[in-house]
Amino acid sequence: MRIGETHAPQGTSIAVEGLTQRFGGNTVLDRIDLRLAPGQVLALLGPSGCGKTTLLKLLAGLTPVAPGHGRIRFGETLVAGDGQFVPPEQRGLGMVFQDYALWPHMTVGRNVAFALEMRGVPRSERAERVAGALEIVGLKGYAERQPSSLSGGQQQRVALARAIVAKPQVLLFDEPLSNLDRELRESLCHEMGLLLRAMGTTAVYVTHDQEEAFALADSVAVMHGGRIQQLSSPEQLMQAPASALVADFLKLGNVLHADDIPPAWRVAAQALARDDRHQHLFIPQGALQLGTDMRAAMRAQVVAQRWRHGRFITQVKTGAGCKGLSFTTAQRLGADAIVDLALDWPALRWLPQAA
Ligand SMILES: Nc1ncnc2c1ncn2[C@@H]1O[C@H](COP(=O)(O)OP(=O)(O)OP(=O)(O)O)[C@@H](O)[C@H]1O
């Protein structure tokens, strides 16, 4: 198999129900529910401390599920919960960590072969499968090298080969690219996406990097404070964030609390449909622009501009005591310049703080 080829899924489905994890009095995961179809890639995305790694460790079996704190199924098999516990080595897993976790005293080939040795796979078959896994990750001919002689990106490829060599039904990734520089991260992320599609393995991928999550995953669980705020496809998350927390974390636009809406926009904002729980006005990227041709235009003063992805991200203030806003434009504007801002009202929505 090579990157780009597709195979029938060899992964299993994953179902998590009511999963809760407490450390002392601290609830780190709070009744997590999720379902993943065979061969799907799920990203767990959220800020530091939101519980991503804790959830991954429960899936791996590195942390047991406490009695009455939910259950985890791989396919039809209950792997944790209700008094059942399948240990990590019997869950059909491959794991890739941030720090590569290669054994420094073993060659690349032995590092990759180790999981097969443990399973008692005969030597001749081992050599073939190790060579195959190294070829898949672009390290053909590296079997006799020492890990210390490889770059960070190459070491992470070895870790990936080691994770896939035993043909796992589930691959678990914990921030695997965060030790690499930006360019390498982007190219390896792209390659891993192709590889996961080609292998058809079910995968759960922990990251705090939105670009990585959106590039790799079929669905993304945005986590905050031990809960899944929204579990959707990347497209759906971008088009329809379910809460102010999600819109803000993904930087999808401006999110203004009802009390922070500039006076010039208040009447029009209150005319938009909302219910009592919806206290935040979401202004999607692109709905706030320079110009006076839309309803309730407003003057603002430029605070700062920075260049990103071919546009200027422009921060403005709209009046004393008002919360700052930002929008993108192709125009360079001088600091302190006074500009007219207009809103595309039909694109705006009221959102609840959290889902
Ligand atoms: N073994 C433990 N004992 C006590 N508290 C823990 C333990 N493991 C994790 N925590 C706490 O649980 C919370 C969630 O940690 P977790 O590592 O899951 O977060 P995360 O979202 O993966 O963050 P990061 O992106 O920084 O790795 C944190 O407040 C952490 O301090």
Side-chain angles (χ1 to χ4, degrees):
M1 181 180 59
R2 295 226 165 34
I3 290 175
E5 288 178 25
T6 49
H7 283 235
Q10 66 181 39
T12 185
S13 62
I14 298 178
V16 170
E17 288 166 38
L19 198 60
T20 295
Q21 175 68 43
R22 295 206 180 95
F23 291 113
N26 189 12
T27 301
V28 169
L29 291 179
D30 189 9
R31 290 162 290 156
I32 299 286
D33 292 319
L34 62 87
R35 277 174 183 280
L36 197 53
Q40 294 275 293
V41 180
L42 168 72
L44 303 178
L45 176 68
S48 185
C50 70
K52 305 178 295 290
T53 298
T54 302
L55 177 51
L56 199 77
K57 284 182 174 170
L58 287 157
L59 290 171
L62 299 173
T63 305
V65 174
H69 283 52
R71 51 185 79 83
I72 303 170
R73 281 197 177 78
F74 283 5
E76 298 301 310
T77 310
L78 182 65
V79 296
D82 296 341
Q84 179 79 6
F85 180 72
V86 177
E89 63 276 14
Q90 289 171 25
R91 291 191 186 188
L93 300 172
M95 291 188 241
V96 184
F97 302 99
Q98 179 177 348
D99 59 1
Y100 324 137
L102 300 177
W103 291 289
H105 57 286
M106 291 184 191
T107 61
V108 164
R110 277 216 63 210
N111 262 283
V112 177
F114 193 71
L116 301 177
E117 280 178 40
M118 291 291 99
R119 285 173 171 77
V121 175
R123 181 184 287 268
S124 56
E125 188 185 335
R126 272 196 328 248
E128 197 179 309
R129 282 172 65 175
V130 167
L134 286 174
E135 187 174 355
I136 286 172
V137 302
L139 290 181
K140 189 176 174 190
Y142 279 66
E144 296 310 317
R145 297 273 293 265
Q146 294 297 323
S148 58
S149 73
L150 303 182
S151 69
Q154 288 170 330
Q155 290 187 48
Q156 198 52 300
R157 286 170 190 270
V158 177
L160 188 56
R162 187 177 58 182
I164 63 176
V165 73
K167 300 199 171 83
Q169 55 177 355
V170 173
L171 273 168
L172 301 176
F173 296 87
D174 195 358
E175 307 250 12
L177 304 179
S178 55
N179 278 346
L180 306 175
D181 67 45
R182 187 186 172 83
E183 211 165 301
L184 196 53
R185 236 174 27 227
E186 280 176 11
S187 65
L188 207 47
C189 178
H190 174 69
E191 284 182 42
M192 285 202 324
L194 293 177
L195 178 60
L196 289 172
R197 297 287 172 295
M199 287 177 39
T201 312
T202 311
V204 180
Y205 189 100
V206 164
T207 181
H208 61 264
D209 184 312
Q210 180 184 346
E211 286 181 21
E212 240 171 82
F214 279 31
L216 265 173
D218 300 296
S219 54
V220 178
V222 180
M223 295 181 64
H224 184 91
R227 301 192 115 174
I228 293 180
Q229 289 293 322
Q230 189 169 357
L231 174 52
S232 304
S233 67
E235 296 81 2
Q236 184 72 8
L237 278 169
M238 281 190 288
Q239 285 158 16
S243 67
L245 267 173
V246 171
D248 212 27
F249 179 71
L250 298 178
K251 297 191 171 48
L252 298 177
N254 291 278
V255 180
L256 287 179
H257 188 273
D259 297 340
D260 294 329
I261 293 172
W265 291 345
R266 276 191 196 142
V267 173
Q270 293 304 339
L272 292 172
R274 70 189 276 206
D275 71 36
D276 290 347
R277 258 179 13 97
H278 293 190
Q279 288 295 322
H280 291 81
L281 186 65
F282 170 48
I283 306 172
Q285 210 67 264
L288 179 64
Q289 295 171 18
L290 290 175
T292 51
D293 53 344
M294 288 180 259
R295 243 181 341 133
M298 185 177 62
R299 295 234 129 154
Q301 188 172 25
V302 175
V303 176
Q305 279 195 308
R306 68 196 156 88
W307 182 252
R308 188 130 190 262
H309 301 318
R311 310 269 292 171
F312 288 105
I313 299 181
T314 309
Q315 283 173 288
V316 290
K317 59 183 177 190
T318 58
C322 290
K323 202 166 174 259
L325 296 171
S326 72
F327 65 96
T328 61
T329 173
Q331 279 177 256
R332 182 191 285 281
L333 302 164
D336 299 332
I338 303 295
V339 292
D340 285 312
L341 293 179
L343 277 181
D344 177 12
W345 284 95
L348 271 53
R349 283 198 299 128
W350 285 97
L351 294 175
Q353 159 72 4

